[in-house]
Amino acid sequence: LTAQRLESSEARLHAFMDHSPSLMFVKDPQGRYVYVNDAFTRSFGLEQSEVIAHSDAEIFAPELAVQFATNDAEALATRSGIAFEEVARYSDGQLHTSIVHKFPIFDLQGHVIALGGVATDITERKRLEDALRQRNVQLRTAIRTEIELRQRQEHLKEIANRDPLTGVANRIFLH
């Protein structure tokens, strides 16, 4: 009965993780993957067999592997986990920005037995934020231009209605 419950619990956990759109993974203390979900393998265009029991250095480009390892070490050092942005090239050839949560996993005695991670792709959000920032700059520029044009228009009205040297009203007021 206990084995059945354990098996059922593990099946639920795998179903949960494999249906998540976020990339999820677990690494052993040496940095080798012991679990990755379907979103992870799909995003990087890899098979489970190409990831499980392998380290980042065996899977990814050197600069990306160093980035991942550095962030892993920081997450393990905090003992509470960290969240940050990571940029990685996915199998679609594009660079993707993700918010990544990495955290230590402890045994019952409080020893670190693994590193867990969840990466949520925010590439589209970042693109929209950049577009919004650009639009805000354009809007501020347009508002500044509008204010300057109105000020010039007021100045021209003043010149049209009063002689700028004498301050005497122009002919428009003499009728």
Side-chain angles (χ1 to χ4, degrees):
L1 186 63
T2 303
Q4 248 182 338
R5 278 194 220 154
L6 181 61
E7 192 175 301
S8 177
S9 176
E10 194 158 317
R12 277 193 307 275
L13 178 62
H14 281 280
F16 170 77
M17 292 179 76
D18 284 338
H19 285 91
S20 172
S22 295
L23 285 61
M24 297 180 167
F25 59 88
V26 178
K27 295 179 182 179
D28 67 18
Q30 290 72 43
R32 292 183 304 260
Y33 288 93
V34 294
Y35 175 82
V36 294
N37 69 347
D38 291 344
F40 185 102
T41 55
R42 255 193 328 274
S43 294
F44 290 112
L46 299 167
E47 296 295 323
Q48 289 273 338
S49 61
E50 296 174 283
V51 179
I52 301 303
H54 296 280
S55 68
D56 290 322
E58 297 171 297
I59 301 168
F60 300 108
E63 62 278 356
L64 189 57
V66 167
Q67 175 189 333
F68 289 169
T70 301
N71 292 337
D72 291 355
E74 187 178 338
L76 291 170
T78 66
R79 296 193 58 83
S80 62
I82 57 172
F84 47 88
E85 289 185 9
E86 280 183 345
V87 177
R89 189 170 307 281
Y90 283 10
S91 62
D92 64 5
Q94 301 297 311
L95 288 175
H96 288 255
T97 303
S98 296
I99 290 182
V100 182
H101 299 269
K102 290 185 177 183
F103 47 89
I105 299 172
F106 302 97
D107 65 12
L108 295 175
Q109 289 74 40
H111 300 109
V112 174
I113 57 168
L115 173 80
V118 178
T120 302
D121 190 342
I122 60 166
T123 304
E124 183 62 15
R125 185 179 96 185
K126 296 287 278 185
R127 188 190 64 73
L128 291 172
E129 286 173 353
D130 287 344
L132 181 60
R133 238 184 319 279
Q134 289 173 1
R135 292 287 183 199
N136 282 338
V137 167
Q138 291 171 342
L139 181 60
R140 279 193 296 277
T141 301
I143 289 170
R144 248 185 260 114
T145 301
E146 174 71 17
I147 290 169
E148 289 171 8
L149 287 173
R150 286 179 188 231
Q151 288 171 341
R152 285 184 188 151
Q153 186 178 21
E154 286 300 315
H155 179 69
L156 290 174
K157 259 192 206 175
E158 183 66 30
I159 290 173
N161 295 331
R162 297 209 173 272
D163 183 292
L165 292 175
T166 64
V168 175
N170 286 335
R171 281 183 256 166
I172 193 167
F173 295 115
L174 298 177
H175 296 291

